[in-house]
Amino acid sequence: MTIGSLFTILIGGMLINNIILARFIGMCPFMGVSTKLSSAVGMGIAVIFVVFGASVMSYLLYYFVLVPLNITYMRLISFILLIASFVQFVEMFIKKTSPSLYKSLGIYLPLITTNCAVLYVAIDNITQKYNLIETMVNSIGVPAGFMLVLVIFATIRERLSGNDVPKAFQGNPIAFVVAAIMAIAFGAFAGLV
Amino acid sequence: MEKKNGFLTELILNNPVFGLYLGICSALGITTALDNAVGMGIAVIIILTISNIVVSLIAPITPDEIHIPVYIVVIATLVTIVGLLMQAFMPSLYSTLGAFVDLIVVNCIILGRAEAYASSHNVKDSIRDGLMMGLAYTFAILAMSLIRQILGTGVLSLSNPLTQQTIFSLRLLPAGYEIPVLTSQTGAFLTFACLAAAVAAYKNSIDEKEAAAAKEAAKKAAADKAAKAKEAAAKAAAAKAAAAKAAAEKSSVKEGA
């Protein structure tokens, strides 16, 4: 393991295998909170934080509890419970310690439990057989890519809202057309590594 | 729900994927080939129906504060079972679907139906709802994968997931006329956008028709009301006239007497 290979994981997770445009994971918040730039930024930060915490904890749970007990088939159930309780805990913690942060991030936290990105990154770290440091790098790279695309998409949608769109395409369908064009652009990253 | 609509109309209009934008991740991710869509659709129908049954049974004894974690554990257990069965009997399908089998847990349709329907209805209704919603989801991903596979590769084929033998394989477009971009990520977004727009247009046309019908009905009702009012007025006038006549007759009779 070198710095180079870690960098490859970071760029790979962020740009090449972008979680939204290349893997189609985390579509619900992508469509749901991308109508305003400020909420996209808030959601992005919340996702980076939760994905990182939940992935590292899932890693520890998997290798120090599930593997020694030989119950790796319980992976899915234990991970989803871990994520749900972690999100709940973070929400309570932020509410107690920083009301202003809670005000700006709080409404996005419950939504994150049903964000498939969190579960996907936790499982991906295990199936790719990453070690702890690689897990940490991957768990920052992937949600950073999520935030990048979400913010770009939100700025486009803000401009789009004032335009004259055919009636049937109004709302979400035109947003999917925008996503299709962005997917072409992100396809160019494929040869980067 | 409205019983007057046909089965197919209900499938299209109340479609969880194109109407409510639930469960889009897998609808975009696995619809490159018909095989994947069939496998995924069957898995979701099974999990959704069983989870609806279990949730409707345990809902009365579940404390309110922890009902979401309980439902998630039920769903995660079912997904684990289906995933293990798939791995054992259909290894090739399992590997092409990849992470999306595990991600059925966070497919919003399943938790959404458990929360919105099964927790407050009896077992029989919940089974019906689970089958309906599962079919609607399958219908959506089948439509996506048919368009993407036929236009993207020109060949429509289906193979048996248990034995991997090809059941049928048809070349519908001559070689050289296919549009390979439809099998890529861009194609997934574009196909979805067009189908969602088609559903929205259909919905709009029905809404307009209903609005027009409602207007017509309102007009008719108003006309009826006016006619009735006129009739009533005429009747009243006639009655008045009759009364006056009677009174006049009476007075004339009196006078005569």
Side-chain angles (χ1 to χ4, degrees):
Chain A
M1 187 187 67
T2 58
I3 298 292
S5 74
L6 289 182
F7 193 67
T8 311
I9 292 175
L10 185 71
I11 296 296
M14 199 165 134
L15 298 176
I16 301 165
N17 294 320
N18 187 282
I19 190 165
I20 293 174
L21 297 175
R23 297 212 188 279
F24 311 111
I25 286 162
M27 293 301 303
C28 303
F30 180 60
M31 284 295 147
V33 297
S34 61
T35 42
K36 263 174 65 190
L37 183 58
S38 56
S39 48
V41 173
M43 185 69 177
I45 294 171
V47 167
I48 293 180
F49 184 66
V50 171
V51 166
F52 184 75
S55 297
V56 172
M57 283 166 66
S58 307
Y59 177 88
L60 298 176
L61 178 76
Y62 187 78
Y63 284 106
F64 291 102
V65 179
L66 297 187
V67 172
L69 292 176
N70 208 7
I71 46 167
T72 48
Y73 58 84
M74 292 289 282
R75 183 174 80 177
L76 201 56
I77 302 172
S78 50
F79 282 13
I80 192 82
L81 274 182
L82 183 93
I83 291 166
S85 39
F86 179 65
V87 171
Q88 194 85 46
F89 175 77
V90 169
E91 195 186 342
M92 289 189 318
F93 184 77
I94 293 180
K95 204 175 183 178
K96 274 269 185 297
T97 52
S98 164
S100 63
L101 186 66
Y102 180 75
K103 225 177 170 183
S104 54
L105 284 188
I107 44 167
Y108 305 113
L109 284 171
L111 289 176
I112 293 178
T113 317
T114 52
N115 185 342
C116 23
V118 186
L119 185 64
Y120 173 76
V121 178
I123 291 177
D124 194 42
N125 288 327
I126 305 293
T127 49
Q128 301 279 348
K129 299 200 168 56
Y130 286 149
N131 62 30
L132 186 56
I133 296 175
E134 287 169 332
T135 296
M136 285 177 171
V137 172
N138 192 43
S139 316
I140 289 183
V142 173
F146 176 81
M147 183 174 171
L148 177 73
V149 172
L150 188 65
V151 169
I152 297 174
F153 191 62
T155 51
I156 299 177
R157 273 189 96 170
E158 275 192 349
R159 295 293 296 271
L160 205 63
S161 62
N163 287 1
D164 185 22
V165 174
K167 199 178 172 204
F169 272 95
Q170 272 166 17
N172 280 330
I174 192 72
F176 277 97
V177 176
V178 172
I181 296 166
M182 280 176 72
I184 300 179
F186 269 72
F189 286 122
L192 204 61
V193 172
Chain B
M1 246 156 251
E2 313 101 71
K3 281 262 162 70
K4 61 181 178 185
N5 280 343
F7 179 70
L8 202 65
T9 322
E10 198 175 326
L11 221 53
I12 295 172
L13 285 184
N14 296 322
N15 196 295
V17 179
F18 295 126
L20 303 169
Y21 300 97
L22 294 177
I24 349 177
C25 301
S26 53
L28 291 167
I30 53 104
T31 50
T32 44
L34 193 59
D35 289 352
N36 301 347
V38 171
M40 191 72 178
I42 292 173
V44 167
I45 291 178
I46 293 172
I47 293 170
L48 185 53
T49 312
I50 300 179
S51 93
N52 263 6
I53 295 173
V54 175
V55 166
S56 76
L57 285 175
I58 62 168
I61 54 164
T62 312
D64 228 17
E65 303 84 36
I66 55 156
H67 66 279
I68 295 219
V70 170
Y71 297 165
I72 287 188
V73 170
V74 169
I75 297 167
T77 312
L78 292 168
V79 172
T80 306
I81 294 170
V82 169
L84 289 174
L85 285 174
M86 226 183 217
Q87 212 170 355
F89 294 103
M90 317 168 193
S92 68
L93 182 68
Y94 184 79
S95 63
T96 38
L97 293 181
F100 284 105
V101 178
D102 285 344
L103 290 179
I104 297 177
V105 177
V106 277
N107 187 325
C108 330
I109 299 174
I110 298 177
L111 188 62
R113 291 326 286 177
E115 174 74 6
Y117 195 91
S119 59
S120 57
H121 289 75
N122 63 26
V123 178
K124 211 178 109 198
D125 287 346
S126 299
I127 294 176
R128 185 190 168 272
D129 182 72
L131 284 174
M132 258 324 277
M133 280 292 150
L135 273 178
Y137 171 82
T138 311
F139 181 76
I141 58 173
L142 279 181
M144 286 276 293
S145 64
L146 279 176
I147 293 176
R148 288 182 68 192
Q149 199 185 9
I150 293 175
L151 293 181
T153 64
V155 181
L156 182 65
S157 64
L158 184 69
S159 56
N160 187 336
L162 286 171
T163 56
Q164 283 147 50
Q165 274 168 340
T166 311
I167 296 173
F168 66 86
S169 174
L170 281 172
R171 177 161 273 284
L172 295 172
L173 287 179
Y177 286 89
E178 62 273 305
I179 314 163
V181 75
L182 281 177
T183 56
S184 73
Q185 282 91 1
T186 311
F189 283 117
L190 272 183
T191 316
F192 191 92
C194 294
L195 282 174
V199 170
Y202 184 55
K203 217 179 243 175
N204 284 346
S205 78
I206 285 189
D207 282 352
E208 264 164 32
K209 230 181 253 168
E210 258 168 24
K215 226 178 185 177
E216 199 91 314
K219 226 179 188 175
K220 210 175 165 194
D224 276 358
K225 216 174 172 187
K228 239 179 217 162
K230 226 177 189 176
E231 216 168 75
K235 235 182 210 165
K240 224 180 191 174
K245 211 175 172 187
E249 262 167 27
K250 229 182 195 172
S251 61
S252 67
V253 166
K254 246 183 201 167
E255 261 167 34

